[in-house]
Each structure stands twice: as structure tokens, then as C-alpha cells.
Amino acid sequence: MSEYDSSNIPMVQFLSPEGEFSVPSQWAEYGEYLKRLTEADYLKFYRDMARIRRFDNEATALQRQGQLGLWIPAIGQEAAQIGSGYGVGHNDHIFPSYREHGVALTHGIDLMSILKMLRGVNHGGWNPDATRFHLYAIVLGSHVLHATGYAMGVKFDGAYATGNPATDQAVICYMGDGATAEGDVSEGLLFAAINKTPQVFFIQNNQWAISAPTSSQTAVPLYTRGDGFGVPGIRIDGNDVLAAYAVTAKHMDDARAGRGPSLIEALTYRMGAHTTSDDPTKYRSAEETAYWAARDPIKRLEVFLRNQGVGQAFFDDCAADGDKLAEDIRAKTFALPTPPFENMFKYVYADPHPLIEEQVAWLTEYEASFETEAHPSTQLHNVINEDALADHSGQVEQVESSNE
């Protein structure tokens, strides 16, 4: 188990791994936010967590079948994403990293847009101005600077702390534990603190930065990472959707009200691979994975809902809904056309550039060569292969001669 999964570190939790609900007195201020929720909200949390996992599994299968260049699974992190996503206000801006599929779902992003990006059809495909959900940031930690800069802009515009819920804004930035080791994150924390930005830093500590454990990334719990900059932090049980919702909602309210930036560490676990190009069995034990599988966030919420009297029909309906989503994205993915290669050059510069024009001309000629005759590079490849075969034959003859 992780050294950070320790009972002596304060952690907000309302749903235990066994699905039992309680509001400890020390977290009463966060518990107040649960009073906002109706039965429909609890059911929505479960349905969306189940749907995004089904989507995740289908996307992995599509990548394995050659339909996506890469897939970035978030299995095991559904509670942290769905809960916090619904805790974000209708005016707030969200800066994701590259694994926030659940947060995207809570803010109306067409999930096909994510698949198109990872197939190479587009660079994102949604409008951040319309959705308030900004584009995925593949470069680790770079978006933290974007989020902090945007939050500084909100402050300069006076678009917060007016007391008007229809217009006040805040910013939330999602990142993984590995990103916290990047210099961009430290700079973002510093600028947020000294400018007192209306902002929340949300760390999904899934305990593995590819094959590097959290213990190799930090010597202190991540929720304390902002202390030295002046950004207070708190840890939540990232597999408890109610904790993720309540703590995010409270801290976003505080940011909107002008109380400055804060940091949330959601302790969770990446049940799958870092990406589909990764094999976690090379660096994680089966015992560790089984330990966290027993703390599955979806199963935890299911037990709670069943204890509240929710019947099997609801869970069957959610499963059918997930299967329908999977069928839909599969059909749409297979129907995606291959974009023209010229698209990769269109948005490099705002104005025409001679170097880009030269590259377009070269690639156009190169592609056309396949329609007429073998390209010189192909001929060279064949010559190299023939030489290699001749060398191999000579080596075989030498071996046979020496054996006679």
C-alpha cells in the first residue's frame, strides 16, 4: 500500500469504503454542502460514474483495435472527477490536464471530441468560451500557468467577490501527483498566492506518475505542497464522491467570494495503466491493485444507494445506458474520416509563412509519389534489406562450412 494511505493524516470522508455514511464533527462545514443534494443528485452521481467507466473501457478497446493513437484511462478516479465536477459553479472555468474525462462529462463536453483528439482528427474540438472547460493539456503542468493567468484576469476584471452569483467567477485547475514535481506548478502556486486569485488547485493523487510512485515525487503529503507559497490545502478521500463534491463546492465558493486560492488533494488510485502504451504490472504488485480494487468508488456508492432503498432496476438501467453509450461511440469512431494532411499546417502561424508553404509543397509531392511509382526512400529500404539478406546468407554459409 502507499505510505500516504495513512490514517494519521486528516482526510475528509463521508462515505467509508464499506459504503457507510457519516459526517464527522471536524468536517461539519463541508457536510453542510451535502444538504444541497437531492435524491436525484445522488442517482446522477452514480449514473455518470458508471457511464464514464463504460466509456473508458470502450475507448481502451478502440485503441487496441487501432482506432485511436493512444488512450488515457481514468478508471478508479471516477468519484474524484464526477464529484468535483458537479461542485464547480456554472460561471467557473475549468483547466483540465489530460485525464479529466469525468469532469468533461459533468460540463456537457461531447465525449466524441476527446476521442477525435486522441485519434488525431482535431486538437480538442470544443469551444472553451462556450463550455468553460478548456482544452486538454498534454504538456505536463503547463496548464497550471494558464489557469493561474486566467484567474488573475478574473481578478483584474473584478469578476468575483461582488456578491452576485449570476456573474461571479472562479477557476479550478486539475493535475495529477506527477505534475506537482514540475516547475510550472510551483510558479502557478506562487503567482496565485501573491495575487490572491479566485482559484482552486485540484490534485488527483492516483499515486503513480507513470512508473514513479508518489514517494519519489514528494517528501511531504501533497495537500501541504502549497503551504510554503501561502496556498492552504486539504486532503479528501478521492474515492468518496460526496467528499469530492462538498469540498470542491466549498472551496470554489470561497474563491468566488474573494478568500484567495486553495488546494485540494484527492487521494485515489489509478486502477489501469497510465496510458495504453504502459504496462503497470511491470512496477505494481497484484496485492496493491487488489487493495485499491476493494475501495472502488463506484461500488462504494452503489452499496450506499442500495442501503437507501434504491432497487436493482436503477442499476440495470445504468448498465444499459453505459452499453448504449459504448455502442454509439464505437459506431461514430469507425465512421470518422481521415482528415487531410494539410490540416496539420493550418494553425501553426496566424499568417502565411514561407517555411510552412515549403513544407506543404514537399509533403504534397511526397504523398503524390506513392500514386505513381515507388518513392526513392522505398527503393533505398529495399536495397538495404537485400544487402542485409546477403550478409545473413553469407554468415549462414560460413557457419555451415565451419560445421563440415
Side-chain angles (χ1 to χ4, degrees), residues 28 56 62 236 253 293 312:
D56 216 327
L62 286 168
I236 67 171
D253 279 356
Q312 183 62 39

Side-chain angles (χ1 to χ4, degrees), residues 66-377:
Q67 294 301 310
L68 303 176
L70 184 76
W71 181 244
I72 308 163
I75 295 173
Q77 298 176 221
E78 294 89 355
Q81 294 194 12
I82 298 298
S84 66
Y86 280 120
V88 175
H90 65 279
N91 291 326
D92 301 330
H93 279 255
I94 302 164
F95 286 79
S97 181
Y98 48 66
R99 202 185 300 272
E100 280 68 46
H101 320 315
V103 183
L105 178 66
T106 65
H107 286 268
I109 301 301
D110 180 3
L111 295 177
M112 276 303 300
S113 295
I114 301 175
L115 296 181
K116 289 176 182 178
M117 181 185 69
L118 290 165
R119 184 182 168 96
V121 172
N122 60 32
H123 298 297
W126 59 87
N127 183 351
D129 289 333
T131 63
R132 300 170 292 102
F133 186 86
H134 293 252
L135 297 179
Y136 273 14
I138 304 301
V139 180
L140 197 65
S142 61
H143 64 300
V144 178
L145 298 178
H146 307 158
T148 301
Y150 197 96
M152 290 170 64
V154 170
K155 180 180 180 181
F156 296 155
D157 290 342
Y160 77 118
T162 69
N164 184 353
T167 59
D168 281 349
Q169 298 180 27
V171 172
I172 186 168
C173 177
Y174 288 87
M175 73 195 82
D177 47 286
T180 64
E182 297 289 335
D184 286 350
V185 175
S186 292
E187 293 166 9
L189 288 166
L190 174 62
F191 273 77
I194 61 178
N195 288 282
K196 204 174 182 182
T197 57
Q199 180 177 7
V200 172
F201 298 86
F202 194 100
I203 301 172
Q204 292 182 84
N205 180 3
N206 65 25
Q207 304 186 56
W208 287 95
I210 310 182
S211 59
T214 307
S215 57
S216 69
Q217 303 286 320
T218 179
V220 298
L222 289 177
Y223 78 95
T224 68
R225 193 61 177 268
D227 287 351
F229 298 98
V231 179
I234 190 168
R235 171 180 279 189
I236 67 171
D237 182 344
N239 285 8
D240 175 1
V241 67
L242 302 184
Y245 166 78
V247 175
T248 302
K250 166 84 167 59
H251 283 259
M252 293 301 286
D253 279 356
D254 289 347
R256 244 178 273 114
R259 300 188 184 101
S262 60
L263 183 150
I264 300 170
E265 177 198 0
L267 183 68
T268 181
Y269 192 76
R270 191 195 77 212
M271 290 299 297
H274 175 72
T275 70
T276 46
S277 62
D278 170 47
D279 180 3
T281 64
K282 300 294 185 181
Y283 53 83
R284 299 194 312 202
S285 68
E287 179 188 14
E288 177 181 310
T289 304
Y291 174 85
W292 283 99
R295 287 152 178 77
D296 186 296
I298 298 179
K299 184 63 178 178
R300 181 184 307 200
L301 183 58
E302 178 184 344
V303 171
F304 168 75
L305 292 176
R306 288 185 184 277
N307 290 340
Q308 304 306 306
V310 177
Q312 183 62 39
F314 168 75
F315 299 103
D316 290 342
D317 185 60
C318 288
D321 192 25
D323 289 340
K324 182 179 179 181
L325 172 64
E327 292 172 6
D328 182 59
I329 64 167
R330 170 168 288 275
K332 289 179 178 177
T333 299
F334 272 85
L336 288 174
T338 300
F341 67 80
E342 293 88 352
N343 282 5
M344 75 177 79
F345 299 100
K346 283 185 177 180
Y347 308 109
V348 178
Y349 296 107
D351 300 314
H353 193 286
L355 182 60
I356 295 298
E357 292 172 354
E358 179 184 338
Q359 291 177 359
V360 172
W362 182 90
L363 186 56
T364 300
E365 182 181 357
Y366 177 80
E367 291 291 334
S369 71
F370 290 102
E371 300 175 3
T372 55
E373 59 182 4
H375 191 269
S377 64

